[in-house]
Amino acid sequence: MPHITAFARNQWYVAAYRHEVGRELLGRTVLGEPLVFYRAEEDGAAVALADRCVHRRYPLSASGLDGDRIVCGYHGFTYDRTGACVSVPGQQRVPRTARVASYPVAERDSLVWVWIGDPGLADPDTVPRAPHLDAAGWTTVRGMEPVDADHGLLVDNLLDLSHETYLHGGSIGTPEVAETPITTEVDEGAGIVRVSRRMDDAECPPFYARSTGIEGRISRWQDIEYHAPCLYLLHSRIAPAGVLPGPDGSDPDGFHTEITYAVTPSAEGRVYDFWMVSRDWATKDTEVTDYLRDNNHAVVMQDVDALNLLQRTLRSERDGYQELSIDIDTGGLAARRVLARLAEEGAKPEEGVR
């Protein structure tokens, strides 16, 4: 298969939205590691443990909480929030090896991030930020879809927005998206890829026409900022054609939308697609909110269907097939290089080392 993206382990990944982690146990698999999440009563902090009891491997996410301890729903092995087993059935002595792994967690901008790799390297200050998700004056709709495809395919999809013209025509795609050249900047050291497309006279797609009320041609900017491996930010700006931005790049007469994706590999050939659409206009208009939620979900599902089909196709591809890339692939190819470097730097530690 010509496209497989290795996992970069010593990195932060979005595992859930803040509202998903509470007193109900939540199971998620990140980089092939089954995890269970809950929120502690003691201090409200999110906790992440390995989602397998040491006894017979029963999923702890299918178990229950007793205070801040998880009680395995199969035989009653009980774990504290550090992963240490504190009680076993039928005996006073707890085996020395009765412990499940715990994982560093950070909560930023309404997202719950988890660190898969060497916990000694987990620095919450290095979590990439998306402050608009929590900021006053912004309204966000969000969702998550699992995709049966390699996470690198989703990164390719998001960094090459020319596909909007063809896959998402009738919602967010117009001819100008595919016709307009891109500019690409890569900060290899920081692991950031930027791709910009500036359209000064473009058709207004239904996604924006129905939500903003703009009629006629528009100025449309798409500025992508991808923080490998997980966070994707699309800074979107539209305005009636001919309205120019201010000298500092601002545009008080335009509509600003922040489109955020968290690309979280679940397992080989499977990825979580967390999607968010934030706006600083019509923030109290529930009709606009409902429309953007429903419309963007439909767009995401078009991507899901396309990526699932592409993954199945690639699995059946003959050996030795060579991809053909063109100018619009510059950002995606740069992201692949960054992901490969991060994966090499964070190679999986030896089994049992944590």
Side-chain angles (χ1 to χ4, degrees):
M1 176 178 168
H3 193 295
I4 296 177
T5 309
F7 296 152
R9 294 187 63 84
N10 285 325
Q11 300 291 327
W12 290 103
Y13 290 93
V14 173
Y17 292 117
R18 178 189 294 149
H19 71 267
E20 293 185 288
V21 178
R23 296 297 294 168
E24 295 291 328
L25 296 170
L26 174 69
R28 288 273 156 82
T29 300
V30 179
L31 274 60
E33 303 279 352
L35 308 176
V36 59
F37 293 86
Y38 67 95
R39 195 169 296 282
E41 283 184 327
E42 180 183 14
D43 56 9
V47 177
L49 303 177
D51 189 22
R52 295 291 185 268
C53 179
V54 296
H55 179 229
R56 291 294 182 265
R57 312 306 289 163
Y58 192 78
L60 295 178
S61 58
S63 302
L65 283 172
D66 179 8
D68 285 346
R69 296 175 172 180
I70 296 182
V71 181
C72 178
Y74 194 18
H75 292 107
F77 277 60
T78 301
Y79 302 89
D80 67 17
R81 59 192 288 182
T82 72
C85 183
V86 295
S87 176
V88 300
Q91 64 185 56
Q92 294 296 316
R93 185 184 66 84
V94 176
R96 180 180 55 84
T97 57
R99 167 181 287 276
V100 298
S102 63
Y103 295 80
V105 173
E107 295 193 62
R108 299 287 188 275
D109 308 319
S110 79
L111 303 173
V112 178
W113 297 77
V114 65
W115 180 273
I116 306 293
D118 182 350
L121 300 177
D123 180 359
D125 289 338
T126 63
V127 171
R129 301 303 300 270
H132 51 273
L133 296 176
D134 248 356
W138 289 82
T139 295
T140 299
V141 296
R142 65 190 74 208
M144 189 276 281
E145 295 295 333
V147 189
D148 291 325
D150 176 60
H151 67 284
L153 294 180
L154 179 55
V155 174
D156 278 352
N157 172 277
L158 295 173
L159 283 169
D160 176 13
L161 295 182
S162 68
H163 79 274
E164 289 183 350
T165 300
Y166 308 99
L167 191 61
H168 307 308
S171 56
I172 60 174
T174 66
E176 294 82 9
V177 181
E179 294 168 357
T180 303
I182 61 171
T183 60
T184 304
E185 298 178 9
V186 184
D187 186 335
E188 295 279 355
I192 300 174
V193 179
R194 295 182 174 88
V195 179
S196 294
R197 181 182 275 104
R198 302 290 177 88
M199 296 161 276
D200 294 327
D201 182 17
E203 177 185 334
C204 187
F207 182 84
Y208 285 119
R210 287 190 55 185
S211 58
T212 67
I214 289 181
E215 298 179 357
R217 310 287 287 181
I218 61 171
S219 168
R220 184 181 185 186
W221 290 7
Q222 294 175 324
D223 295 313
I224 296 169
E225 186 180 332
Y226 171 58
H227 297 253
C230 188
L231 189 67
Y232 170 99
L233 307 172
L234 170 57
H235 311 296
S236 175
R237 164 212 177 270
I238 69 164
V243 175
L244 300 177
D248 61 350
S250 64
D251 176 20
D253 297 318
F255 296 83
H256 304 87
T257 307
E258 295 288 341
I259 299 171
T260 308
Y261 283 85
V263 181
T264 301
S266 173
E268 184 175 344
R270 191 168 175 82
V271 59
Y272 295 124
D273 182 355
F274 292 88
W275 59 267
M276 295 141 271
V277 178
S278 308
R279 69 185 191 277
D280 66 353
W281 43 272
T283 56
K284 304 298 184 182
D285 192 321
T286 57
E287 185 176 343
V288 171
T289 296
D290 292 343
Y291 172 75
L292 291 179
R293 179 189 297 109
D294 294 344
N295 191 276
N296 201 72
H297 178 255
V299 168
V300 168
M301 292 310 299
Q302 289 173 333
D303 281 335
V304 170
D305 291 342
L307 294 174
N308 288 347
L309 174 60
L310 181 57
Q311 183 74 51
R312 292 195 300 271
T313 302
L314 290 174
R315 286 196 178 111
S316 65
E317 192 57 76
R318 68 183 186 276
D319 291 340
Y321 169 73
Q322 295 295 316
E323 284 185 321
L324 171 65
S325 296
I326 58 176
D327 289 348
I328 60 173
D329 300 307
T330 307
L333 294 175
R336 290 188 193 181
R337 292 195 306 271
V338 172
L339 287 171
R341 175 178 61 78
L342 294 177
E344 184 177 357
E345 292 174 354
K348 185 173 181 178
E350 296 180 9
E351 193 68 28
V353 176
R354 178 166 295 284

